Amino acid sequence: GAVVSQHPSRVICKSGTSVKIECRSLDFQATTMFWYRQFPKKSLMLMATSNEGSKATYEQGVEKDKFLINHASLTLSTLTVTSAHPEDSSFYICSVTGLEGQPQHFGDGTRLSIL
Amino acid sequence: AQTVTQSQPEMSVQEAETVTLSCTYDTSENNYYLFWYKQPPSRQMILVIRQEAYKQQNATENRFSVNFQKAAKSFSLKISDSQLGDTAMYFCAFMKQGNDMRFGAGTRLTVKP
């Protein structure tokens, strides 16, 4: 069964809207979750590391105020794309990690389209 | 910073044949983990195989095996008896302690009937 639930799978909205994407760990408590962005036919780019109970760690070049991450519980992390613009259109994927060295389990992704 | 290089943007193979996807990485770490993930058109990320750097023995999972050369920092994936369902993007991934994972650019594999 699924280890990670990501919702919604598809979002189409107008420019200027804020969009929230949820990532839930179903099988275990996750102190750390990851958010990736994937452009068409490109690889996954790590955006940020979501830490339960503390601030997220953002990769260089990722705007903290644009991509708000909240990890309020051990099973839920949210990514909010604030005041979204067409250039924010992309595929966003979250992942959950368990014990040290274990593979990350990925959500099914969210396809975000900003008109 | 760790980098992962996949030098083959696209590969194709005939059904039932064998294909090898290459991956090299750069790191100063001694303990780390390597993975191959498959991403079919559905865009779901599916774990194919995992290798621990401290293990010399190459990992195998059914038709999938790796050739891990730690000194050369090489981690290639061999797919035997290729099947049509193997058609996908394949990403090589490096993970250091702390579970921070970095991906290569990917190789698009097409299995031809």
Side-chain angles (χ1 to χ4, degrees):
Chain A
V3 177
V4 180
S5 173
Q6 185 173 342
H7 180 81
S9 58
R10 184 83 163 96
V11 180
I12 303 172
C13 58
K14 294 181 179 179
S15 184
T17 307
S18 291
V19 178
K20 180 184 285 188
I21 303 169
E22 293 187 348
C23 182
R24 293 183 182 274
S25 175
L26 302 178
D27 272 11
F28 52 86
Q29 295 179 328
T31 55
T32 304
M33 296 186 184
F34 300 93
W35 287 97
Y36 295 87
R37 181 173 183 176
Q38 186 179 30
F39 289 104
K41 298 184 180 181
K42 297 295 184 181
S43 186
L44 280 72
M45 297 291 292
L46 180 65
M47 297 176 65
T49 302
S50 176
N51 305 301
E52 188 269 336
S54 64
K55 292 182 179 180
T57 305
Y58 289 82
E59 294 298 304
Q60 189 174 6
V62 177
E63 298 178 60
K64 300 178 183 180
D65 296 333
K66 162 68 77 175
F67 300 100
L68 299 179
I69 291 173
N70 183 279
H71 194 152
S73 77
L74 288 171
T75 58
L76 175 65
S77 176
T78 60
L79 169 68
T80 301
V81 184
T82 61
S83 187
H85 292 286
E87 57 266 29
D88 298 324
S89 297
S90 192
F91 191 68
Y92 294 88
I93 312 176
C94 71
S95 73
V96 171
T97 187
L99 297 174
E100 178 75 22
Q102 293 303 307
Q104 292 185 12
H105 301 277
F106 289 85
D108 287 343
T110 298
R111 187 182 303 276
L112 176 61
S113 299
I114 308 299
L115 305 178
Chain B
Q2 289 79 21
T3 58
V4 181
T5 302
Q6 292 179 251
S7 59
Q8 306 153 314
E10 294 187 13
M11 293 279 285
S12 64
V13 63
Q14 291 295 134
E15 193 176 8
E17 297 290 303
T18 295
V19 64
T20 299
L21 309 183
S22 66
C23 173
T24 58
Y25 57 93
D26 184 28
T27 185
S28 58
E29 304 281 338
N30 190 46
N31 295 322
Y32 51 88
Y33 307 86
L34 297 163
F35 305 86
W36 279 96
Y37 279 88
K38 167 185 176 181
Q39 189 181 43
S42 66
R43 304 193 79 168
Q44 184 183 11
M45 291 292 285
I46 302 168
L47 177 67
V48 175
I49 203 163
R50 169 180 175 267
Q51 175 80 43
E52 295 151 318
Y54 62 84
K55 287 189 176 179
Q56 292 186 343
Q57 185 174 8
N58 290 323
T60 63
E61 284 289 343
N62 301 314
R63 297 183 296 107
F64 299 89
S65 62
V66 297
N67 183 3
F68 173 48
Q69 301 290 328
K70 190 172 184 179
K73 297 180 182 176
S74 172
F75 183 61
S76 60
L77 174 69
K78 185 172 80 171
I79 306 175
S80 304
D81 186 24
S82 297
Q83 299 176 359
L84 296 178
D86 294 334
T87 292
M89 281 289 289
Y90 285 82
F91 293 103
C92 177
F94 172 99
M95 186 169 73
K96 64 181 181 181
Q97 290 185 328
N99 292 355
D100 181 1
M101 186 175 280
R102 306 289 165 159
F103 292 87
T107 297
R108 183 175 302 278
L109 176 67
T110 302
V111 180
K112 298 179 179 180

